[in-house]
Structure formats: structure tokens, C-alpha cells
Amino acid sequence: MDVVAPMAPRKVAGKVARKVVKATPADLMEDTGTGLDYGTRPDRMPGYLTPTDRFFIRSHAPTPHLDAATWTLRVEGNGVREPLAYTYDDLWHRFPLVSVTRTLECAGNRRVLLGQQFGRTFHGTQWGRGAISTAEWTGVRLRDLLEPAGITPGACEVMPESLDEIRARRPMPLAKAYADDTLVALAMNGGALPPDHGFPARLVVSGWLGAASIKWLGRLEVSEDALYVPWNTEDYVLIGPDFPARGPAHGPVITALPVASLVELPWPARLRPEPQLVRGRAFAGENRVVSVRYRIDDGPWQDAPITSPHLPGAWVRWQFDWNPAPGDHVLRVRATDDQGNTQPDSSTWNELGYLQHSVLAHPVHVQYG
Ligand SMILES: Nc1nc2c(c(=O)[nH]1)N[C@H]1C(S)=C(S)[C@@H](COP(=O)(O)O)O[C@H]1N2
Ligand SMILES: [Mo]
């Protein structure tokens, strides 16, 4: 498939059946054409949090309809002494509820832009810039659900498994499962989790690629052995000449996401030649974003002040004033995190088109009227 006008929402209505529940109006969400995957439009992000109605959706199979009254979450595997199962009611009432604000981003976000860098199309969902959103998640710490099962001294991995058609699985080390901000979420932005986002319960694995945050959770396997499943051997791994295979994995397994930034304007953008505020976001996975700089055309790099809290695992907002002259301009933004990582000038080629996070040349056309 050739990408001609990659950042414009693609008009595919009538071709592919929608397999999600919530409305995905074209003025709020980018339709990637799969019937399953809808991005948040970067120019339609009102506040710090992404409203639930426009939070991006990335699903490999249709949204399942699960009944909370009969649903259970099992904890089992050779890394527990006593396998057990929780009901929906248990999760709400037997454990401390915690709320965290965290960003989810798909490892394939900006895949179309990676394709532009290399003059090709990478297979996979044709994401522009919309596969990233932030919500306040409320639920139970994963470790609080694991401990009652009696974790063995040799346990090393925890693998959530879903109840949708694809039985999605993605293991993580025990230490990440035990982190304060690894949650089994029951609510999102103060409302019950909507069907498309994992009702009755989903994982939220802070700072990691979205695929770790398994939706429609049904089972947690605790293991004394390294676990290999499609999502850590052939998908969501970096494959290519720069990335040697590692045992059963075709390349390094993607975990925490790299620093990247986003301008809250359409691509290409059209502005009027008048003083205005340009806004955006930056996200650095498990790290904190500490600075954002921008450059117009060949001008100097300048500071774009951060205007929101700096939380690890959640994006920041930044802004700058601009009084653009009529004509065509290129806007570049470069974010840096607290570990000294900064957005590179180009991203690394990998077969599946993941982790585009380099500085983008955002086209801006300025004219009267
Ligand atoms: N069961 C299940 N969980 C899943 C997925 C899926 O297809 N099935 N997609 C994953 C991927 S690739 C991403 S990026 C996030 C997206 O979460 P969202 O749809 O709530 O934005 O969910 C993850 N969890
Ligand atoms: Mo994803």
C-alpha cells in the first residue's frame, strides 16, 4: 500500500467494518482503516488528560463483550504456591484502590513517518501521530493481586493474558509487575473502563509500549521460567541489521519507550500570520521529560517552556509564542529526558516500523484568510 497523503485521516468509511464499540468521529479521531485502530487527533486534545471518548484505540481483534458478573481473574503458574481467582467485586472491594495518571503509546506510533524517512511503507497499522493518549487510571496494584497466591522465590516473570479472540499475552519481569504504578485498572478518567479499553479490567504498565498493557484481562501467569509468546518473539521486537536475534526472540524486546514529542497542529498545518500560541506534548516512557526546544526553519533552537506537571510515565505539555510570516515553514521540536536522552535526527530502521521518535520536520503553511 502506498501512502500518498499520510497524515490526513483516510476516508475508508464503508470499506471496512468497525469492530469497536465507541463512536470515532472523524473530527476527533484518525481512522487508520483497519476498523480496529483509531488515533487521537493531535489538534483535538483539549486538556492535559485525553478525554475517554477520544482516547486512541489499538486492538488486534474485535472488542469482546464481557460480563463483569461472571468474569474472573485467575492467578496461576509454577511461580505461585496457591493458584486463585478474583471476581470483579473482589477487585473493587478487597484491595486498596490507587489512581495514577499515565500515558499509553503504541510502539508503532508514527509508523507512517518512519516510512517517509526511509521512502517505504512499513507493514502494520498505518499510524500517524495519534497512537498516544493519557488518562487517570484507577485500580489495584498488580502486586497486591499476586502476593496472596504466594509467589515462589524462583518466580521471575508475570504474564497477563486476555479474553479476546487473540488471547493476547506479554510477559514482564517480576520487578516491573511489582512496581508501585503497575496497575490492574478498573476505571479510566473517573468512569468504568469502556469496552474498547479493556472492560472489566486491563493492565497499565507505566512507561512501556502500549502492547504491555493487556486489555480484557483474564489470567495472570507467574513463572519461574522465561516465557516466549508471539508478542515478545516476533511482534513488538526490533528486527533488522542493527538488532541481532536473542534466543527465541527475533530481536531485542521493546519495553520502555524513548523520548518523543508532538505538536498539537494538523499535518500539514495551516496558520494565519498573527501572534499565536503553539502547543504540544512530550513523553519519555519511564523517564521524566526535562526540556523541550523548538526551531523554526533555519533559526536558532529555543526553549519551549513546560506548562504541566513532570510525572514519570506521563506526558508533559509545552508551548511557545509565534508570530509567523506568510509562506511555508518547517517547525522542529526536540525533547530531552532526565537521563540525558534526547530525540535523535533520524530513527533506526527496523522491519516492523516501531519506535519512530526522531525530530520531525512539521510542515506549516502560513497565509491570510
Ligand atoms: N487484549 C488485548 N490487549 C491489548 C491489545 C489487544 O489487541 N488485545 N492491544 C495492545 C496495544 S498494541 C496497545 S497500543 C494498547 C492500546 O490500548 P487502548 O486501545 O486502550 O488505547 O493495548 C494493548 N493491549
Ligand atoms: Mo500497540
Side-chain angles (χ1 to χ4, degrees):
M1 177 174 56
D2 285 335
V3 177
V4 182
M7 305 311 292
R10 292 167 62 227
K11 303 260 185 315
V12 291
K15 282 194 193 156
V16 176
R18 280 167 41 84
K19 302 173 191 92
V20 299
V21 171
K22 77 179 177 187
T24 52
D27 61 329
L28 297 182
M29 304 200 77
E30 288 175 351
D31 185 343
T32 66
T34 61
L36 291 163
D37 309 307
Y38 296 85
T40 304
R41 273 186 49 173
D43 54 321
R44 299 302 307 275
M45 303 199 297
Y48 177 79
L49 297 178
T50 311
T52 303
D53 67 349
R54 61 189 82 171
F55 199 99
F56 86 99
I57 305 174
R58 178 11 175 174
S59 295
H60 293 68
T63 297
H65 298 273
L66 301 175
D67 180 1
T70 54
W71 175 86
T72 58
L73 175 58
R74 290 176 291 142
V75 181
E76 53 197 31
N78 66 9
V80 301
R81 278 192 276 269
E82 273 182 65
L84 47 78
Y86 300 111
T87 65
Y88 189 58
D89 212 52
D90 288 338
L91 262 55
W92 276 110
H93 301 294
R94 281 183 44 198
F95 303 94
L97 290 175
V98 280
S99 292
V100 297
T101 294
R102 291 291 181 273
T103 297
L104 288 189
E105 182 177 24
C106 185
N109 196 22
R110 299 174 295 268
R111 180 177 280 124
V112 166
L113 293 151
L114 190 75
Q116 285 179 353
Q117 183 188 320
F118 292 104
R120 56 160 287 177
T121 299
F122 289 96
H123 283 290
T125 302
Q126 294 302 296
W127 291 118
R129 300 171 297 143
I132 182 167
S133 299
T134 301
E136 184 195 53
W137 307 95
T138 300
V140 179
R141 289 199 176 97
L142 178 56
R143 68 161 184 255
D144 289 347
L145 300 178
L146 298 178
E147 295 228 285
I151 303 301
T152 65
C156 62
E157 293 207 351
V158 176
M159 183 169 72
E161 182 178 313
S162 73
L163 296 166
D164 56 349
E165 272 174 24
I166 56 157
R167 209 160 67 91
R169 285 155 294 160
R170 234 275 175 170
M172 73 188 103
L174 194 69
K176 185 66 178 172
Y178 266 56
D180 278 347
D181 56 358
T182 299
L183 296 196
V184 172
L186 304 168
M188 177 178 181
N189 293 335
L193 214 53
D196 297 316
H197 297 291
F199 181 85
R202 79 171 304 161
L203 220 59
V204 172
V205 181
S206 300
W208 282 32
L209 79 170
S213 292
I214 296 293
K215 303 191 277 189
W216 312 297
L217 206 53
R219 177 173 179 263
L220 296 163
E221 177 175 346
V222 183
S223 177
E224 296 197 336
D225 313 300
L227 299 173
Y228 296 100
V229 291
W231 283 16
N232 70 354
T233 56
E234 57 200 53
D235 281 331
Y236 302 108
V237 298
L238 295 171
I239 301 174
D242 297 338
F243 304 110
R246 296 186 178 180
H250 299 192
V253 176
I254 301 171
T255 57
L257 292 172
V259 61
S261 56
L262 171 66
V263 179
E264 292 173 39
L265 291 173
W267 185 298
R270 290 174 79 88
L271 299 178
R272 293 162 57 87
E274 61 194 21
Q276 55 205 283
L277 209 50
V278 175
R279 293 179 195 273
R281 323 255 163 167
F283 176 53
E286 290 180 326
N287 301 334
R288 261 171 229 265
V289 176
V290 291
S291 88
V292 178
R293 293 170 77 72
Y294 72 98
R295 179 188 201 188
I296 291 156
D297 303 323
D298 297 325
W301 285 97
Q302 300 178 74
D303 203 43
I306 292 171
T307 59
S308 69
H310 299 228
L311 302 168
W315 62 21
V316 297
R317 301 191 81 183
W318 50 264
Q319 64 183 45
F320 66 87
D321 292 305
W322 192 21
N323 185 5
D328 287 313
H329 300 283
V330 175
L331 169 59
R332 290 185 171 80
V333 176
R334 189 192 298 279
T336 300
D337 72 20
D338 61 352
Q339 302 300 306
N341 303 301
T342 197
Q343 291 184 252
D345 289 325
S346 58
S347 293
T348 309
W349 191 90
N350 67 99
E351 196 89 42
L352 302 175
Y354 295 127
L355 304 189
Q356 192 296 333
H357 69 293
S358 50
V359 173
L360 295 169
H362 198 128
V364 182
H365 180 70
V366 180
Q367 67 174 48
Y368 292 96

